[in-house]
Amino acid sequence: MIKAGIIGSTGYAGAELVRLLLGHPQAEIVWYGSRSYIDQKYSDIYRNMFKFVDMTCKDDNMEALAKEADVIFTATPQGLCASLVNDRILEQAKIIDLSADFRIKDVSVYEKWYGIRHAAPRYIPEAVYGLCEINREDIKGARIVANPGCYTTCSILSLYPLAKEGLIDMDSIIIDAKSGTSGAGRGAKVDNLFCEVNENMKAYGVASHRHTPEIEEQLGYACGKEVVLSFTPHLVPMNRGILVTAYAKLMPGADSQKIGAAYEKYYKDEKFIRLLPEGTCAQTRWVEGSNFTDIGFKVDPRTNRVIVMGALDNLVKGAAGQAVQNMNLLFGLKEDMGLELVPLFP
Amino acid sequence: MIKAGIIGSTGYAGAELVRLLLGHPQAEIVWYGSRSYIDQKYSDIYRNMFKFVDMTCKDDNMEALAKEADVIFTATPQGLCASLVNDRILEQAKIIDLSADFRIKDVSVYEKWYGIRHAAPRYIPEAVYGLCEINREDIKGARIVANPGCYTTCSILSLYPLAKEGLIDMDSIIIDAKSGTSGAGRGAKVDNLFCEVNENMKAYGVASHRHTPEIEEQLGYACGKEVVLSFTPHLVPMNRGILVTAYAKLMPGADSQKIGAAYEKYYKDEKFIRLLPEGTCAQTRWVEGSNFTDIGFKVDPRTNRVIVMGALDNLVKGAAGQAVQNMNLLFGLKEDMGLELVPLFP
Amino acid sequence: MIKAGIIGSTGYAGAELVRLLLGHPQAEIVWYGSRSYIDQKYSDIYRNMFKFVDMTCKDDNMEALAKEADVIFTATPQGLCASLVNDRILEQAKIIDLSADFRIKDVSVYEKWYGIRHAAPRYIPEAVYGLCEINREDIKGARIVANPGCYTTCSILSLYPLAKEGLIDMDSIIIDAKSGTSGAGRGAKVDNLFCEVNENMKAYGVASHRHTPEIEEQLGYACGKEVVLSFTPHLVPMNRGILVTAYAKLMPGADSQKIGAAYEKYYKDEKFIRLLPEGTCAQTRWVEGSNFTDIGFKVDPRTNRVIVMGALDNLVKGAAGQAVQNMNLLFGLKEDMGLELVPLFP
Amino acid sequence: MIKAGIIGSTGYAGAELVRLLLGHPQAEIVWYGSRSYIDQKYSDIYRNMFKFVDMTCKDDNMEALAKEADVIFTATPQGLCASLVNDRILEQAKIIDLSADFRIKDVSVYEKWYGIRHAAPRYIPEAVYGLCEINREDIKGARIVANPGCYTTCSILSLYPLAKEGLIDMDSIIIDAKSGTSGAGRGAKVDNLFCEVNENMKAYGVASHRHTPEIEEQLGYACGKEVVLSFTPHLVPMNRGILVTAYAKLMPGADSQKIGAAYEKYYKDEKFIRLLPEGTCAQTRWVEGSNFTDIGFKVDPRTNRVIVMGALDNLVKGAAGQAVQNMNLLFGLKEDMGLELVPLFP
């Protein structure tokens, strides 16, 4: 049994990790970290866990945790993981960081977009970007896995084959993304109250959202040159789900068939990516509660653009599910272990 | 492996059965019945099942199905199961009927509340009311299990120990129930359109809902005399969940402690009933996607009443989950097999 | 023009007052009070008011406000209005208090249920309970109007004629109430976050909600004796609306016809009460945005009970609309002035 | 008083027309047309209208209606208005058509995108496209006003000044639009059931939605050349509201200041367009129930694009509100008469 500790277990992503690890045949949670609820019973905070979890919440002591755990998940605000990690810890446990601390290779880009000083830049080079379908082999040997963001996972997976195969004009990419409200976290803010979110639709972080450089960096690796794109997130009155609608101009020679073939080439054996028939629109309801990313596309000859639609559950493939997938890779388990979840509908 | 067939597999309860059976280690679905979608791919109708189910929908031929299946689930409108069942079928397969056809022992009560003629009253006596926590032993040997209704399961489980132990005045019972909209089915009706249900709350079927006699009959068995009660269902703008708020006058001598003890007596070893600390209100969000019924209560000395709150997922413990629990009992499997689902939140 | 000041203008009830007063032909808002947003533009906080309101928020100085205003609305937490009011203020302005400070005549009952000491009990006797349909004449001459609570308005109006006419057993009353989330206010609390409320249904304040004694007191006046009843509020995932489902045993001789006649007797000329045909269920969607209370009922001969259903918009008839109706009465205007709002659907 | 008749009064747009006309001081509804509900009381179908409307529904007899009405609103499926209109009718009444029949000048474009034969192409030339802010003067003298679509109104108003002033590359326009579900109409379809829409986000009509040519035609007039753009609508789990997020490359010399100036130039005196401070995102909640279009924008120097966000209520400015605005223009009334509605929030 893999002993797992979670720092930040009472946020929505942390709680989803708990749900998934409770159903994982080879993992066991030994530490429910939560600075806000120290010494409180975990199941008093998340009553869905009543009769499943009997432990109380602990503080953020990563050193103590490293002695008890084989793997540490940090589902915490930006900066915390970097501020806690050190060599002793890394000698004892693997770290899967669900924050952005180790996702971006250029520390100045991180510091500019996040507006904080990186506390442990020396660990950035060795950290592996944990997008399993793309970096599978590198993840296996890592000490630190930088678990991708929710918008990022959906955006990159939706466009990666097209970028890799040179089928789209990389200067023309526009990603219009829509997210359920759990992506905004469990902090008590007026903006996230029921009556503020319900019956509303809005964009936010326009031309400034922090997931932008992460998407640009990864797609840049795919196409072999620097990428600059437009990314606009929106808040949707639903609990879970990310829908990405991505637009790009076709390169000369690219057509519907070649695009379909590119997706097949990279994803046909990927269990957690479901390629929809051409013209079928991805919908968040069909992936809820599961680790799938559904991808569909449509070529528009009128505009010479391809419109790609990707959908995933922001708390599963966009956070906790991918973290478990990374854990499986790190520990040599079957990659889908504990993740064979049929989407819940309605 | 138990071979299972589902008649009515494209309704919400039928689809939830598919989800649960796909995750069941000892069951296999051999027949996706759906009169409305014959010869269409099941996963084109429920795209969450894409990559899980490759079969197409078949018609309602229960005789043909009985030859292929060990167990037949009927998740169909009232009257259909009774119109199809016969001795040949029952010799070949068990039937778990999710409709009301075999729930009520007095056929005249059935015919009065449902307004239809019962097509096979001769099978009513042998049918066992499949409320597992109450009728566990009888279910094991049955040929026909009458799977309880969603409101009914929640109402009966919430009040059963108090009725059985004589702690409440059975003439004083009022059950005010609230249901998510999946309980209204997948039929295309104006009343169930998004814009009609969203931002609305209403009662319906006041003093006339068909689950009333079912609750009265079962609570009557518990207390040993005829019961007449008020039951009012309400439609709530959410997908899943039933919340029952039940009110009853305390009998002389009954108090908070005795009520707590009664619940403990009947339910303390029941895996799928979670007794909440006194005064804690059951909430539907904590059971979503799972087979649990959460029960809490509060004694009000001002009014000498007990208020009992029960919550379950109408598609799981209120339909498909209980059906699988019944299947497990029928085939001698561990009762919770395939049902160890952690509730999904948020 | 009546000059109106609002203390607490940035809560949901306060903002609804702003909306209604902006549409009132004889009123003008001179003071947007909001302790939390002093000196901020009101329309930056409520952007629906952009281009309507150009003023900034002011503090809670009721004395200063009284010099500028003819009427002061306090849409504030319990205790604040009582702590600010004094003779000088009352000589200059009328007060319509949307909090509970002056609703309950017995100060010890207030202090017990609200758990705070009343700061100005000497004004309680003169305050008039502002349920317009019941206390119309008394309101006209008042200095302090205690604007009723949202649950209370709906509960009392639903049962008043039956209590007054002696048609129901006053010891048998159970009020099961459901409220949209705007009733919980705009404070930043985890419990009111979108993901906590959405897809959930729960009771709260069971046997202890503060609106209970207010309902009991008023229904007690109606029937001429002390009333003790069960009141259970529930939180519903919608923005606006209160639905009351009330149950009571019929007194000997009471029947459907007499009940209908009682409603006609008291309400047939009431503009803001719409009596539905017998058996029709009140629904919150049909009153949204308006000052109506819709009332329907059903007599159940099986249980000898009447089930009454009342629906209103908690922010209008349950708060700001009734406050404006009270203002109209206080200043001798047409009672429905500024309140002729067609309900918004969908 | 203007006598108004509505054909299609029981759809959501028709019902919103009823709400608005009931509040209009110079209009009176004389005909509630509804093929589906002939002879039924209008207020039995829309119970929000109880006590407001006492009439019953009539059939689609436009000739008979023309004799009774000064203006006829057709809130009907495509093709119906064109099939009914004739010279006799136009001599007696003005027509404001909320369908697409007279929106597109090139009948072959209409027939291609809508897949139906146009029944009255001879009236297309005289019909005026009823986008009031753009075509105000032409509308005043029209016999047939083609009331714009909901997506279209929001898209065109958001981009018009930039197109007109040559600030954006017209070949680079991408419009990603999101709509509340009332836009899908009140027809009983599985896809629009509560449980199908709730907790879901999806695109539809990708590269093929019928509002595309309407947007292209109008923006083409603005910039003086043919426009081809990408338009993608999405369905959002909310009742009302359209949010448009539009992307375009800046032309050389265009910048934030020039874009702001362009919006000011065309809209600063427009009552129903609210220009938000630069960088502020339009949100549907701030316009609900009102006739406003809120427009905000952000220039992104990294990508040299402008992102424009427009929000309106699809049933008001996107349908019935604009129709009333057109009626006011046709009859020489104050343009905002009956439309001075404060947005309802929450």
Side-chain angles (χ1 to χ4, degrees):
Chain A
M1 290 297 268
I2 301 163
K3 290 182 193 308
I6 304 170
I7 298 189
S9 67
T10 53
Y12 290 138
E16 187 71 354
L17 256 175
V18 171
R19 180 176 81 95
L20 297 178
L21 292 172
L22 287 175
H24 193 288
Q26 294 289 334
E28 167 189 18
I29 306 173
V30 298
W31 184 290
Y32 291 82
S34 174
R35 216 188 317 206
S36 317
Y37 297 100
I38 295 173
D39 290 338
Q40 292 189 47
K41 290 195 70 164
Y42 189 79
S43 64
D44 281 351
I45 299 156
Y46 282 93
R47 286 197 171 271
N48 52 329
M49 303 300 179
F50 185 47
K51 301 286 181 194
F52 287 93
V53 180
D54 204 40
M55 294 175 74
T56 53
C57 295
K58 297 183 181 173
D59 66 14
D60 291 346
N61 190 334
M62 200 189 267
E63 294 223 12
L65 167 51
K67 289 179 189 133
E68 300 185 23
D70 303 307
V71 60
I72 297 171
F73 296 93
T74 48
T76 48
Q78 320 309 332
L80 188 76
C81 181
S83 76
L84 294 177
V85 68
N86 62 37
D87 288 345
R88 276 186 313 281
I89 289 167
L90 289 173
E91 283 155 18
Q92 294 173 301
K94 304 275 192 182
I95 290 184
I96 299 174
D97 178 24
L98 281 76
S99 84
D101 287 0
F102 297 100
R103 292 179 190 158
I104 292 171
K105 287 297 170 198
D106 183 337
V107 70
S108 70
V109 171
Y110 172 91
E111 296 187 340
K112 182 179 137 210
W113 286 80
Y114 285 88
I116 51 175
R117 188 154 190 78
H118 199 293
R122 72 186 174 287
Y123 295 115
I124 295 178
E126 70 166 281
V128 176
Y129 190 72
L131 191 51
C132 311
E133 284 73 12
I134 312 291
N135 295 331
R136 182 168 287 125
E137 293 313 313
D138 290 345
I139 291 162
K140 291 177 180 172
R143 295 200 301 176
I144 302 178
V145 175
N147 208 61
C150 49
Y151 282 125
T152 333
T153 297
C154 199
S155 300
I156 298 171
L157 290 178
S158 293
L159 292 173
Y160 176 82
L162 310 189
K164 190 85 180 174
E165 296 292 301
L167 293 168
I168 51 173
D169 174 357
M170 298 303 291
D171 293 331
S172 73
I173 298 174
I174 286 169
I175 299 172
D176 191 283
K178 297 90 179 168
S179 173
T181 305
S182 59
R186 213 192 192 196
K189 293 180 193 161
V190 168
D191 273 355
N192 296 334
L193 290 177
F194 181 82
C195 290
E196 308 291 316
V197 172
N198 188 39
E199 298 300 293
N200 188 38
M201 183 85 197
K202 68 170 179 185
Y204 63 98
V206 178
S208 62
H209 193 275
R210 294 160 170 195
H211 283 181
T212 312
E214 193 180 328
I215 302 169
E216 291 177 342
E217 180 176 333
Q218 297 298 323
L219 290 180
Y221 297 146
C223 71
K225 57 170 192 168
E226 205 175 311
V227 172
V228 177
L229 51 75
S230 289
F231 169 73
T232 312
H234 296 76
L235 191 69
V236 185
M238 61 183 189
N239 285 349
R240 290 173 179 241
I242 281 186
L243 180 72
V244 153
T245 314
Y247 303 83
K249 281 279 180 193
L250 295 177
M251 292 299 278
D255 61 14
S256 185
Q257 199 184 348
K258 284 186 179 141
I259 285 174
Y263 283 115
E264 286 289 329
K265 176 173 173 186
Y266 292 92
Y267 295 153
K268 73 168 184 295
D269 296 328
E270 288 298 340
K271 172 154 188 178
F272 293 124
I273 296 180
R274 300 192 298 191
L275 297 175
L276 306 177
E278 195 195 333
T280 302
C281 298
Q283 303 188 33
T284 63
R285 62 175 158 159
W286 302 131
V287 297
E288 190 177 330
S290 82
N291 201 46
F292 291 108
T293 303
D294 280 5
I295 299 177
F297 72 93
K298 179 96 179 263
V299 166
D300 181 8
R302 292 176 67 251
T303 59
N304 195 37
R305 289 195 184 99
V306 61
I307 298 104
V308 182
M309 292 152 287
L312 54 71
D313 183 324
N314 58 304
L315 293 178
V316 190
K317 184 62 180 171
Q322 186 146 258
V324 170
Q325 195 178 350
N326 276 312
M327 180 189 81
N328 290 341
L329 287 170
L330 286 176
F331 291 86
L333 303 175
K334 242 178 116 257
E335 192 173 327
D336 62 1
M337 189 177 280
L339 295 171
E340 299 181 285
L341 306 154
V342 184
L344 187 81
F345 172 80
Chain B
M1 291 294 271
I2 300 164
K3 290 183 193 309
I6 305 171
I7 297 187
S9 67
T10 54
Y12 290 139
E16 188 71 355
L17 255 175
V18 171
R19 181 177 79 94
L20 297 178
L21 291 172
L22 287 175
H24 193 288
Q26 294 290 332
E28 169 189 17
I29 306 174
V30 298
W31 184 291
Y32 291 82
S34 174
R35 215 189 318 206
S36 317
Y37 298 99
I38 294 173
D39 290 338
Q40 292 189 47
K41 289 196 70 165
Y42 189 78
S43 64
D44 281 350
I45 298 156
Y46 282 94
R47 286 196 171 272
N48 53 329
M49 303 301 179
F50 186 46
K51 302 286 183 193
F52 287 94
V53 180
D54 205 40
M55 294 174 75
T56 53
C57 294
K58 296 184 182 172
D59 66 15
D60 291 347
N61 190 333
M62 199 188 266
E63 295 222 12
L65 167 51
K67 289 181 187 129
E68 301 184 22
D70 304 307
V71 60
I72 297 171
F73 295 94
T74 48
T76 49
Q78 320 309 333
L80 187 76
C81 182
S83 76
L84 296 176
V85 68
N86 62 37
D87 288 347
R88 275 185 312 280
I89 289 167
L90 289 173
E91 282 155 20
Q92 293 173 302
K94 304 276 193 181
I95 291 183
I96 299 174
D97 178 23
L98 281 76
S99 84
D101 287 1
F102 297 100
R103 291 179 191 157
I104 292 172
K105 288 298 171 198
D106 183 337
V107 70
S108 69
V109 171
Y110 172 91
E111 295 187 339
K112 183 180 136 210
W113 286 80
Y114 286 87
I116 51 175
R117 186 151 192 81
H118 199 293
R122 73 185 174 286
Y123 295 114
I124 295 178
E126 69 166 282
V128 176
Y129 190 72
L131 191 51
C132 311
E133 285 74 13
I134 312 292
N135 293 332
R136 181 169 286 127
E137 293 311 313
D138 289 345
I139 292 162
K140 291 176 180 173
R143 295 200 302 175
I144 302 176
V145 175
N147 208 61
C150 50
Y151 282 125
T152 332
T153 298
C154 199
S155 300
I156 298 171
L157 289 178
S158 293
L159 292 173
Y160 176 82
L162 310 189
K164 189 85 179 174
E165 295 294 301
L167 293 168
I168 51 174
D169 173 357
M170 299 303 289
D171 293 331
S172 74
I173 297 174
I174 285 169
I175 299 173
D176 190 284
K178 297 90 178 167
S179 173
T181 305
S182 59
R186 212 191 191 197
K189 294 181 193 160
V190 168
D191 274 354
N192 296 333
L193 290 177
F194 181 82
C195 291
E196 308 290 317
V197 173
N198 189 39
E199 299 299 292
N200 188 39
M201 183 86 195
K202 68 170 178 185
Y204 63 98
V206 179
S208 62
H209 193 275
R210 295 160 169 192
H211 284 181
T212 312
E214 194 180 327
I215 302 170
E216 290 177 342
E217 179 176 333
Q218 296 298 323
L219 290 180
Y221 297 147
C223 72
K225 58 171 191 165
E226 205 175 312
V227 172
V228 177
L229 51 75
S230 289
F231 169 73
T232 312
H234 296 75
L235 191 69
V236 184
M238 61 183 189
N239 285 348
R240 289 174 179 239
I242 281 185
L243 181 72
V244 153
T245 314
Y247 304 83
K249 282 279 179 192
L250 296 177
M251 292 300 279
D255 61 14
S256 184
Q257 199 184 348
K258 284 186 180 141
I259 285 172
Y263 282 114
E264 286 289 330
K265 176 172 173 187
Y266 292 92
Y267 293 152
K268 74 168 182 298
D269 296 328
E270 289 297 340
K271 172 153 188 179
F272 293 125
I273 296 180
R274 301 193 296 191
L275 297 175
L276 306 177
E278 196 196 334
T280 302
C281 298
Q283 303 188 32
T284 63
R285 62 175 158 159
W286 302 132
V287 297
E288 189 177 330
S290 81
N291 201 46
F292 291 109
T293 303
D294 280 4
I295 299 176
F297 73 92
K298 179 94 181 263
V299 165
D300 181 8
R302 292 177 67 253
T303 59
N304 195 37
R305 290 195 184 98
V306 61
I307 298 104
V308 182
M309 292 153 288
L312 53 73
D313 183 324
N314 57 304
L315 293 179
V316 190
K317 184 62 178 173
Q322 186 144 261
V324 170
Q325 196 178 350
N326 277 312
M327 180 190 80
N328 289 342
L329 288 170
L330 286 175
F331 290 86
L333 303 175
K334 244 178 113 255
E335 191 173 329
D336 61 0
M337 188 176 282
L339 295 171
E340 300 181 284
L341 307 154
V342 183
L344 186 81
F345 172 81
Chain C
M1 292 295 270
I2 301 163
K3 290 182 194 307
I6 305 170
I7 297 186
S9 67
T10 53
Y12 290 138
E16 188 70 356
L17 256 175
V18 172
R19 180 177 80 93
L20 297 178
L21 292 172
L22 286 174
H24 194 287
Q26 295 289 335
E28 168 189 18
I29 305 174
V30 298
W31 184 290
Y32 291 84
S34 174
R35 215 188 319 207
S36 317
Y37 297 99
I38 294 174
D39 290 338
Q40 292 188 46
K41 289 195 70 164
Y42 189 78
S43 64
D44 282 350
I45 298 155
Y46 282 93
R47 286 196 172 272
N48 52 330
M49 303 300 180
F50 186 46
K51 302 286 184 194
F52 287 93
V53 180
D54 205 40
M55 294 175 74
T56 52
C57 295
K58 297 183 180 173
D59 66 14
D60 291 347
N61 190 333
M62 200 189 265
E63 294 222 13
L65 168 51
K67 289 180 189 131
E68 300 184 22
D70 303 307
V71 60
I72 297 170
F73 296 92
T74 48
T76 48
Q78 320 309 333
L80 187 76
C81 181
S83 76
L84 295 177
V85 68
N86 62 37
D87 288 346
R88 275 185 312 281
I89 289 167
L90 289 173
E91 284 155 16
Q92 294 172 300
K94 304 276 191 180
I95 290 183
I96 299 174
D97 178 23
L98 281 76
S99 85
D101 287 1
F102 297 100
R103 291 179 192 158
I104 292 172
K105 288 297 169 199
D106 184 338
V107 70
S108 69
V109 172
Y110 173 90
E111 295 187 339
K112 181 180 139 214
W113 285 80
Y114 285 87
I116 51 175
R117 187 153 190 79
H118 200 292
R122 72 186 173 286
Y123 296 114
I124 295 177
E126 70 166 280
V128 177
Y129 190 72
L131 191 51
C132 312
E133 284 74 12
I134 312 292
N135 294 332
R136 183 168 286 125
E137 293 312 314
D138 290 344
I139 292 163
K140 291 176 180 172
R143 295 200 301 175
I144 302 176
V145 175
N147 207 61
C150 50
Y151 282 125
T152 333
T153 297
C154 200
S155 300
I156 298 171
L157 289 179
S158 293
L159 292 174
Y160 176 81
L162 310 189
K164 189 86 179 172
E165 295 293 300
L167 293 168
I168 52 173
D169 174 357
M170 298 303 290
D171 292 331
S172 73
I173 297 174
I174 286 170
I175 298 172
D176 191 284
K178 298 90 178 166
S179 173
T181 305
S182 59
R186 212 190 191 197
K189 294 181 193 160
V190 168
D191 274 355
N192 296 333
L193 290 177
F194 181 82
C195 291
E196 308 291 317
V197 172
N198 188 38
E199 298 300 293
N200 188 37
M201 183 85 197
K202 67 170 179 185
Y204 64 97
V206 178
S208 62
H209 192 276
R210 293 160 170 194
H211 284 181
T212 312
E214 192 180 328
I215 302 168
E216 291 177 341
E217 180 176 332
Q218 297 298 324
L219 290 180
Y221 297 146
C223 71
K225 57 170 192 166
E226 206 175 312
V227 171
V228 177
L229 51 75
S230 289
F231 169 72
T232 312
H234 295 77
L235 191 68
V236 184
M238 60 184 188
N239 285 349
R240 290 174 179 240
I242 281 186
L243 181 71
V244 152
T245 314
Y247 303 82
K249 281 281 179 192
L250 296 176
M251 291 300 279
D255 60 15
S256 186
Q257 200 186 345
K258 284 185 180 142
I259 285 174
Y263 282 115
E264 287 289 330
K265 175 173 174 187
Y266 291 93
Y267 294 152
K268 74 169 184 296
D269 295 327
E270 289 297 340
K271 172 153 188 178
F272 293 124
I273 296 181
R274 299 193 297 191
L275 296 175
L276 307 177
E278 195 196 334
T280 301
C281 298
Q283 302 188 33
T284 63
R285 62 175 157 159
W286 302 131
V287 297
E288 189 176 330
S290 81
N291 200 46
F292 291 108
T293 304
D294 281 4
I295 299 176
F297 73 93
K298 179 96 181 262
V299 166
D300 181 8
R302 293 177 66 251
T303 59
N304 195 37
R305 289 194 184 100
V306 61
I307 297 104
V308 182
M309 291 152 288
L312 54 72
D313 182 324
N314 57 303
L315 293 179
V316 191
K317 185 62 179 172
Q322 186 146 259
V324 170
Q325 196 179 349
N326 276 312
M327 180 189 81
N328 289 341
L329 288 171
L330 285 176
F331 290 86
L333 303 175
K334 242 177 116 259
E335 191 173 330
D336 62 1
M337 189 176 281
L339 295 171
E340 300 181 283
L341 308 155
V342 184
L344 186 82
F345 172 80
Chain D
M1 291 294 269
I2 300 163
K3 290 182 194 309
I6 305 170
I7 298 187
S9 67
T10 54
Y12 290 138
E16 187 71 355
L17 256 175
V18 171
R19 180 176 81 93
L20 296 178
L21 291 173
L22 287 174
H24 193 288
Q26 294 290 333
E28 168 189 17
I29 306 174
V30 298
W31 184 290
Y32 290 83
S34 175
R35 216 187 321 205
S36 317
Y37 297 100
I38 294 173
D39 290 339
Q40 292 188 47
K41 290 195 70 165
Y42 189 78
S43 64
D44 281 350
I45 298 156
Y46 282 93
R47 287 197 171 271
N48 52 330
M49 303 300 178
F50 186 47
K51 302 286 182 195
F52 287 94
V53 180
D54 204 40
M55 294 174 75
T56 52
C57 295
K58 297 182 181 174
D59 65 15
D60 291 347
N61 190 334
M62 199 188 267
E63 294 221 13
L65 167 51
K67 291 181 187 129
E68 301 184 23
D70 304 308
V71 60
I72 298 171
F73 295 93
T74 48
T76 48
Q78 320 310 332
L80 187 75
C81 181
S83 77
L84 295 176
V85 69
N86 61 38
D87 289 345
R88 277 186 312 280
I89 289 167
L90 288 173
E91 283 155 17
Q92 294 173 302
K94 304 276 192 180
I95 291 183
I96 299 174
D97 178 23
L98 281 76
S99 85
D101 286 1
F102 296 101
R103 291 178 192 158
I104 292 172
K105 288 297 171 197
D106 183 338
V107 70
S108 70
V109 171
Y110 173 90
E111 295 186 340
K112 184 181 135 210
W113 286 81
Y114 285 87
I116 51 175
R117 187 152 191 80
H118 199 293
R122 73 186 174 284
Y123 295 114
I124 295 179
E126 69 166 280
V128 177
Y129 190 72
L131 191 51
C132 312
E133 285 74 14
I134 312 292
N135 294 332
R136 182 168 286 125
E137 292 312 313
D138 290 344
I139 292 162
K140 291 177 181 172
R143 295 200 302 175
I144 302 176
V145 175
N147 208 61
C150 49
Y151 282 125
T152 332
T153 297
C154 199
S155 299
I156 298 171
L157 290 178
S158 294
L159 292 174
Y160 177 81
L162 310 190
K164 189 86 179 173
E165 295 294 300
L167 293 169
I168 52 174
D169 174 356
M170 298 303 291
D171 293 331
S172 74
I173 297 174
I174 286 169
I175 298 172
D176 191 284
K178 298 90 179 167
S179 173
T181 305
S182 59
R186 212 191 191 197
K189 293 180 194 161
V190 167
D191 273 355
N192 296 334
L193 290 177
F194 181 82
C195 291
E196 308 291 317
V197 173
N198 188 39
E199 299 300 292
N200 188 37
M201 183 85 195
K202 68 170 179 185
Y204 64 97
V206 179
S208 62
H209 193 274
R210 294 160 169 193
H211 283 181
T212 312
E214 192 180 329
I215 302 169
E216 290 177 342
E217 180 176 333
Q218 297 297 324
L219 290 180
Y221 298 146
C223 71
K225 57 170 191 165
E226 205 175 311
V227 172
V228 177
L229 51 76
S230 289
F231 169 73
T232 312
H234 296 76
L235 191 69
V236 184
M238 60 184 190
N239 285 349
R240 287 173 181 241
I242 281 185
L243 181 72
V244 152
T245 314
Y247 304 83
K249 282 280 179 191
L250 296 176
M251 292 300 279
D255 60 14
S256 186
Q257 200 185 345
K258 284 186 179 141
I259 285 173
Y263 282 115
E264 286 290 330
K265 176 173 172 186
Y266 292 92
Y267 295 152
K268 72 168 185 298
D269 296 328
E270 289 298 339
K271 172 154 187 177
F272 293 124
I273 296 181
R274 301 193 295 191
L275 296 175
L276 306 177
E278 196 195 334
T280 302
C281 298
Q283 302 188 32
T284 63
R285 62 175 157 159
W286 302 132
V287 298
E288 190 178 329
S290 82
N291 201 46
F292 292 108
T293 304
D294 280 5
I295 299 176
F297 73 91
K298 179 94 180 265
V299 165
D300 181 8
R302 292 176 68 252
T303 59
N304 195 38
R305 290 197 183 99
V306 61
I307 298 103
V308 182
M309 291 153 287
L312 55 71
D313 182 323
N314 57 303
L315 293 179
V316 191
K317 183 63 179 173
Q322 185 144 260
V324 170
Q325 196 179 348
N326 276 312
M327 180 190 80
N328 289 341
L329 288 170
L330 285 176
F331 291 86
L333 304 176
K334 243 176 115 259
E335 192 173 329
D336 62 0
M337 189 177 281
L339 295 171
E340 300 180 284
L341 307 154
V342 184
L344 186 82
F345 172 81

